[in-house]
Amino acid sequence: MNSIIPEGITSIDEQAFTDCSFSSIEIPASVISIKDWAFSGCSLTSIEIPASVTLIGEYAFYACSSLISITVDENNAFYDSRDNSNVVSRI
């Protein structure tokens, strides 16, 4: 199952999707922050972080054991995914 966050949402709050059951999520360009524990325990297999995100909180993807692909938009000035290595690093 996929999920889409509506355009205009600027923050994904703490524990907003904890233990979610969808495999992918579309984060719109309006989102600037993904807060602590936002997706912890989810069954996500992939996630794309848009260029607009300036904050990724602690443990945002904790215990997402199915997560195999994390991609940060190449135009993001704050984070990168190190050549698609599935590691999100603060620049």
Short mmCIF file of all heavy atoms in Angstrom, two decimals, residues 32-61:
data_model
loop_
_atom_site.label_atom_id
_atom_site.label_comp_id
_atom_site.label_asym_id
_atom_site.label_seq_id
_atom_site.Cartn_x
_atom_site.Cartn_y
_atom_site.Cartn_z
N ILE A 32 9.11 20.64 5.18
CA ILE A 32 10.45 21.13 5.54
C ILE A 32 11.02 20.38 6.74
O ILE A 32 12.22 20.42 6.96
CB ILE A 32 10.47 22.65 5.80
CG1 ILE A 32 9.48 23.03 6.90
CG2 ILE A 32 10.20 23.43 4.53
CD1 ILE A 32 9.57 24.47 7.36
N SER A 33 10.17 19.68 7.50
CA SER A 33 10.71 18.93 8.64
C SER A 33 10.03 17.58 8.81
O SER A 33 8.82 17.44 8.62
CB SER A 33 10.58 19.75 9.93
OG SER A 33 9.24 19.95 10.27
N ILE A 34 10.86 16.61 9.15
CA ILE A 34 10.41 15.27 9.51
C ILE A 34 10.89 15.09 10.95
O ILE A 34 12.09 15.01 11.20
CB ILE A 34 11.02 14.21 8.58
CG1 ILE A 34 10.60 14.47 7.13
CG2 ILE A 34 10.60 12.81 9.02
CD1 ILE A 34 11.31 13.61 6.10
N LYS A 35 9.98 15.08 11.88
CA LYS A 35 10.35 15.13 13.30
C LYS A 35 10.68 13.76 13.88
O LYS A 35 10.52 12.73 13.23
CB LYS A 35 9.25 15.83 14.07
CG LYS A 35 9.11 17.28 13.61
CD LYS A 35 8.28 18.11 14.51
CE LYS A 35 8.28 19.55 14.00
NZ LYS A 35 7.32 20.36 14.70
N ASP A 36 11.15 13.77 15.14
CA ASP A 36 11.58 12.56 15.85
C ASP A 36 10.54 11.45 15.75
O ASP A 36 9.35 11.69 15.90
CB ASP A 36 11.82 12.86 17.33
CG ASP A 36 12.90 13.90 17.58
OD1 ASP A 36 13.64 14.23 16.64
OD2 ASP A 36 13.00 14.36 18.73
N TRP A 37 11.03 10.26 15.48
CA TRP A 37 10.21 9.04 15.47
C TRP A 37 9.08 9.07 14.45
O TRP A 37 8.15 8.27 14.52
CB TRP A 37 9.63 8.76 16.86
CG TRP A 37 10.63 8.65 17.96
CD1 TRP A 37 11.08 9.66 18.76
CD2 TRP A 37 11.34 7.49 18.38
NE1 TRP A 37 12.01 9.19 19.65
CE2 TRP A 37 12.19 7.85 19.44
CE3 TRP A 37 11.33 6.16 17.94
CZ2 TRP A 37 13.01 6.96 20.08
CZ3 TRP A 37 12.16 5.27 18.59
CH2 TRP A 37 12.99 5.66 19.64
N ALA A 38 9.10 9.97 13.48
CA ALA A 38 7.98 10.16 12.55
C ALA A 38 7.52 8.88 11.86
O ALA A 38 6.33 8.65 11.70
CB ALA A 38 8.33 11.21 11.51
N PHE A 39 8.46 8.05 11.44
CA PHE A 39 8.11 6.82 10.72
C PHE A 39 8.58 5.57 11.45
O PHE A 39 8.67 4.50 10.86
CB PHE A 39 8.74 6.84 9.32
CG PHE A 39 8.16 7.91 8.42
CD1 PHE A 39 8.81 9.12 8.27
CD2 PHE A 39 6.98 7.70 7.73
CE1 PHE A 39 8.30 10.11 7.44
CE2 PHE A 39 6.45 8.68 6.91
CZ PHE A 39 7.11 9.88 6.76
N SER A 40 8.90 5.66 12.73
CA SER A 40 9.48 4.53 13.45
C SER A 40 8.57 3.30 13.39
O SER A 40 7.36 3.39 13.52
CB SER A 40 9.75 4.91 14.90
OG SER A 40 8.56 5.22 15.58
N GLY A 41 9.20 2.18 13.13
CA GLY A 41 8.48 0.91 13.10
C GLY A 41 7.64 0.68 11.86
O GLY A 41 6.88 -0.29 11.79
N CYS A 42 7.76 1.53 10.87
CA CYS A 42 6.96 1.38 9.64
C CYS A 42 7.46 0.24 8.77
O CYS A 42 8.62 -0.16 8.85
CB CYS A 42 7.00 2.67 8.82
SG CYS A 42 5.97 3.96 9.47
N SER A 43 6.61 -0.21 7.89
CA SER A 43 7.00 -1.25 6.94
C SER A 43 7.40 -0.65 5.59
O SER A 43 7.33 -1.31 4.57
CB SER A 43 5.87 -2.27 6.78
OG SER A 43 4.67 -1.62 6.38
N LEU A 44 7.84 0.60 5.60
CA LEU A 44 8.31 1.25 4.37
C LEU A 44 9.46 0.47 3.76
O LEU A 44 10.34 -0.01 4.47
CB LEU A 44 8.80 2.67 4.68
CG LEU A 44 7.78 3.72 5.05
CD1 LEU A 44 8.48 4.97 5.57
CD2 LEU A 44 6.92 4.06 3.84
N THR A 45 9.45 0.37 2.43
CA THR A 45 10.59 -0.24 1.73
C THR A 45 11.45 0.82 1.06
O THR A 45 12.63 0.59 0.80
CB THR A 45 10.12 -1.26 0.67
OG1 THR A 45 9.26 -0.61 -0.26
CG2 THR A 45 9.40 -2.43 1.33
N SER A 46 10.87 1.99 0.78
CA SER A 46 11.63 3.07 0.18
C SER A 46 11.03 4.41 0.56
O SER A 46 9.85 4.51 0.88
CB SER A 46 11.65 2.94 -1.35
OG SER A 46 10.35 3.11 -1.88
N ILE A 47 11.89 5.43 0.55
CA ILE A 47 11.43 6.78 0.83
C ILE A 47 12.33 7.75 0.09
O ILE A 47 13.53 7.51 -0.06
CB ILE A 47 11.41 7.07 2.34
CG1 ILE A 47 10.68 8.39 2.63
CG2 ILE A 47 12.79 7.05 2.94
CD1 ILE A 47 10.20 8.53 4.04
N GLU A 48 11.72 8.81 -0.43
CA GLU A 48 12.45 9.87 -1.10
C GLU A 48 12.27 11.15 -0.30
O GLU A 48 11.15 11.56 -0.02
CB GLU A 48 11.94 10.06 -2.53
CG GLU A 48 12.25 8.86 -3.40
CD GLU A 48 11.85 9.05 -4.85
OE1 GLU A 48 11.73 10.22 -5.30
OE2 GLU A 48 11.65 8.04 -5.52
N ILE A 49 13.39 11.77 0.06
CA ILE A 49 13.38 13.00 0.83
C ILE A 49 13.52 14.16 -0.16
O ILE A 49 14.50 14.24 -0.90
CB ILE A 49 14.57 13.05 1.82
CG1 ILE A 49 14.66 11.78 2.67
CG2 ILE A 49 14.53 14.32 2.66
CD1 ILE A 49 13.54 11.54 3.61
N PRO A 50 12.54 15.07 -0.21
CA PRO A 50 12.61 16.17 -1.17
C PRO A 50 13.67 17.22 -0.80
O PRO A 50 14.16 17.26 0.34
CB PRO A 50 11.21 16.77 -1.15
CG PRO A 50 10.62 16.36 0.15
CD PRO A 50 11.28 15.08 0.55
N ALA A 51 13.98 18.08 -1.73
CA ALA A 51 14.97 19.14 -1.53
C ALA A 51 14.56 20.11 -0.44
O ALA A 51 15.40 20.74 0.19
CB ALA A 51 15.19 19.89 -2.84
N SER A 52 13.29 20.23 -0.18
CA SER A 52 12.77 21.20 0.80
C SER A 52 13.04 20.83 2.25
O SER A 52 12.98 21.69 3.13
CB SER A 52 11.26 21.34 0.61
OG SER A 52 10.63 20.07 0.76
N VAL A 53 13.35 19.57 2.54
CA VAL A 53 13.52 19.13 3.93
C VAL A 53 14.81 19.68 4.53
O VAL A 53 15.90 19.45 4.01
CB VAL A 53 13.48 17.59 4.03
CG1 VAL A 53 13.85 17.12 5.45
CG2 VAL A 53 12.11 17.07 3.66
N THR A 54 14.66 20.43 5.63
CA THR A 54 15.82 21.02 6.31
C THR A 54 16.08 20.37 7.66
O THR A 54 17.10 20.64 8.28
CB THR A 54 15.61 22.54 6.52
OG1 THR A 54 14.45 22.75 7.34
CG2 THR A 54 15.44 23.26 5.20
N LEU A 55 15.15 19.53 8.13
CA LEU A 55 15.32 18.88 9.41
C LEU A 55 14.79 17.45 9.35
O LEU A 55 13.64 17.23 8.94
CB LEU A 55 14.55 19.63 10.51
CG LEU A 55 14.49 18.90 11.85
CD1 LEU A 55 15.80 19.05 12.60
CD2 LEU A 55 13.32 19.38 12.68
N ILE A 56 15.62 16.50 9.75
CA ILE A 56 15.19 15.12 9.96
C ILE A 56 15.51 14.82 11.42
O ILE A 56 16.67 14.84 11.83
CB ILE A 56 15.90 14.13 9.02
CG1 ILE A 56 15.57 14.46 7.56
CG2 ILE A 56 15.46 12.69 9.35
CD1 ILE A 56 16.31 13.61 6.54
N GLY A 57 14.47 14.58 12.20
CA GLY A 57 14.63 14.38 13.64
C GLY A 57 15.27 13.04 13.98
O GLY A 57 15.43 12.16 13.14
N GLU A 58 15.60 12.90 15.27
CA GLU A 58 16.20 11.67 15.76
C GLU A 58 15.23 10.50 15.61
O GLU A 58 14.04 10.64 15.84
CB GLU A 58 16.58 11.84 17.23
CG GLU A 58 17.72 12.80 17.44
CD GLU A 58 18.17 12.84 18.89
OE1 GLU A 58 17.87 11.91 19.65
OE2 GLU A 58 18.83 13.83 19.24
N TYR A 59 15.78 9.39 15.22
CA TYR A 59 15.03 8.14 15.10
C TYR A 59 13.84 8.23 14.16
O TYR A 59 12.87 7.49 14.30
CB TYR A 59 14.58 7.64 16.47
CG TYR A 59 15.72 7.49 17.45
CD1 TYR A 59 15.89 8.40 18.49
CD2 TYR A 59 16.63 6.46 17.31
CE1 TYR A 59 16.94 8.28 19.38
CE2 TYR A 59 17.70 6.33 18.19
CZ TYR A 59 17.84 7.23 19.23
OH TYR A 59 18.89 7.11 20.11
N ALA A 60 13.90 9.13 13.19
CA ALA A 60 12.78 9.32 12.26
C ALA A 60 12.40 8.03 11.53
O ALA A 60 11.23 7.81 11.24
CB ALA A 60 13.11 10.41 11.25
N PHE A 61 13.39 7.18 11.28
CA PHE A 61 13.14 5.92 10.56
C PHE A 61 13.56 4.71 11.39
O PHE A 61 13.86 3.65 10.86
CB PHE A 61 13.86 5.94 9.21
CG PHE A 61 13.48 7.11 8.36
CD1 PHE A 61 14.33 8.20 8.23
CD2 PHE A 61 12.25 7.17 7.73
CE1 PHE A 61 13.98 9.30 7.48
CE2 PHE A 61 11.88 8.27 6.97
CZ PHE A 61 12.75 9.33 6.85
#
